[in-house]
Amino acid sequence: MKTKQVTQLTGLTKDTIRFYEKEQLIPPPSRDVNGYRIYSEKTVEQLNMITMAKNLGFTLKEIKDLTQLLGKNNLTQQAMAAKLIEKSKEIDAKITELTNIKALIDHALKGMCEYKDKLS
């Protein structure tokens, strides 16, 4: 299928698809006689997997590692579960960090900032 069909099926822009191709997250597409990119259904599945992984908080580097493992048939359910647990812990840590930052902001907004006397 051509790029336009893939964008409709995945919700991704053609620039994003080409970026993923450049970053080797998906295989290079074949070309038709006019030079247009032709993508397989497997590539559409890979693009949807990339989108899902991004929505779960994985970075593109992490996604690339996962796709390489998947391509080599070295991604087991246990390995994927371990990656998800690790990502969950990272998100918990980030939530804690953001909660602490928000508390500091709320504290400052209540006029309790230790530098309030220096403000004009």
Side-chain angles (χ1 to χ4, degrees):
M1 60 191 87
K2 292 184 181 174
T3 304
K4 185 175 182 177
Q5 292 170 291
V6 175
T7 62
Q8 292 169 342
L9 289 170
T10 62
L12 299 171
T13 66
K14 70 177 182 177
D15 291 334
T16 299
I17 295 167
R18 289 182 181 159
F19 175 76
Y20 291 165
E21 181 185 331
K22 180 181 163 223
E23 293 297 312
Q24 300 177 344
L25 290 166
I26 59 172
S30 58
R31 303 274 182 159
D32 69 6
V33 293
N34 295 326
Y36 293 121
R37 288 172 166 84
I38 302 296
Y39 296 95
S40 68
E41 287 185 29
K42 182 176 179 182
T43 299
V44 171
E45 289 175 18
Q46 289 172 314
L47 289 167
N48 287 329
M49 186 201 82
I50 291 167
T51 300
M52 183 180 7
K54 281 187 65 183
N55 290 339
L56 291 172
F58 286 95
T59 64
L60 287 182
K61 184 191 179 322
E62 291 169 330
I63 293 169
K64 189 172 186 176
D65 293 343
L66 288 172
T67 56
Q68 287 174 347
L69 287 173
L70 191 60
K72 295 175 185 173
N73 290 328
N74 288 338
L75 186 60
T76 64
Q77 286 182 341
Q78 293 83 3
M80 190 64 213
K83 298 274 187 192
L84 289 169
I85 289 168
E86 181 180 328
K87 184 55 64 180
S88 180
K89 288 178 183 178
E90 287 175 20
I91 291 169
D92 286 341
K94 190 68 170 174
I95 289 170
T96 300
E97 178 185 345
L98 291 172
T99 300
N100 291 337
I101 291 169
K102 185 178 182 321
L104 290 172
I105 290 171
D106 290 346
H107 187 74
L109 286 171
K110 289 179 184 172
M112 300 176 178
C113 174
E114 63 183 273
Y115 299 105
K116 69 180 178 185
D117 296 335
K118 295 181 176 81
L119 300 174
S120 55

